[in-house]
Amino acid sequence: LLLIPFLLAGKPKHTTEQLLKTMELDKNMAKTIEAIVSQQLSRNPKMKLIEKEYKDLMNKLIGWKAIKKDIIKIYEKFYNPDEMRELTDFYQTPVGKKTVNIMPQISAETMMLTQSVLQKSKDEQIKLMKLLEKRVNEAVKEKNAKEDKKKATK
């Protein structure tokens, strides 16, 4: 029993940072920023005039250095050390490495798909917001009428 601390001390500690390094999150954030910039340029070609400044801004706001501490907190919120060890082991496998490499593209395509679907449903969203406004106005009128009725009976 006295040897257990010494045996454990010799084993590498799997930390959140090790997991994120194995996942190459720093590189993937850079790829994500490239995808965001590229997407903006395709939507608005005039953005090419400020591409470097836009890319610099994105790096400042959501680059790895800017969000690393927050990402660590998020992972530690959802994964315990044993799970992080399992994830680290997975990301070292061929399928895990493939996942690391293609995840930015999957995320970018998913984001574009979502935006496209939302854009196509703009009219439906406007109708729904008008319905919401109508129901809120009706509820306010009903509440005001009840208050007026209470005041009148006093």
Side-chain angles (χ1 to χ4, degrees), residues 80-94:
N80 66 45
D82 289 336
E83 292 168 330
M84 284 193 230
R85 186 178 307 106
E86 287 181 41
L87 283 170
T88 301
D89 292 344
F90 166 72
Y91 285 118
Q92 291 172 341
T93 67

Side-chain angles (χ1 to χ4, degrees), residues 2 9 11 24-25 32 39 43 53 59 85 89 101 104 106 111 113-114 116 125:
L2 295 175
K11 291 188 176 185
E24 299 181 1
L25 224 53
T32 300
Q39 186 179 33
R43 283 188 182 164
E53 291 84 355
N59 277 306
R85 186 178 307 106
D89 292 344
N101 287 325
I106 290 172
M111 189 182 343
L113 171 67
T114 303
S116 172
Q125 293 176 51

Side-chain angles (χ1 to χ4, degrees), residues 31-32 34-36 38-39 43 101-118:
K31 289 179 184 177
T32 300
E34 289 295 328
I36 291 169
S38 176
Q39 186 179 33
R43 283 188 182 164
N101 287 325
I102 63 172
M103 194 53 65
Q105 291 89 349
I106 290 172
S107 296
E109 288 186 30
T110 301
M111 189 182 343
M112 288 190 310
L113 171 67
T114 303
Q115 289 174 350
S116 172
V117 169
L118 290 175

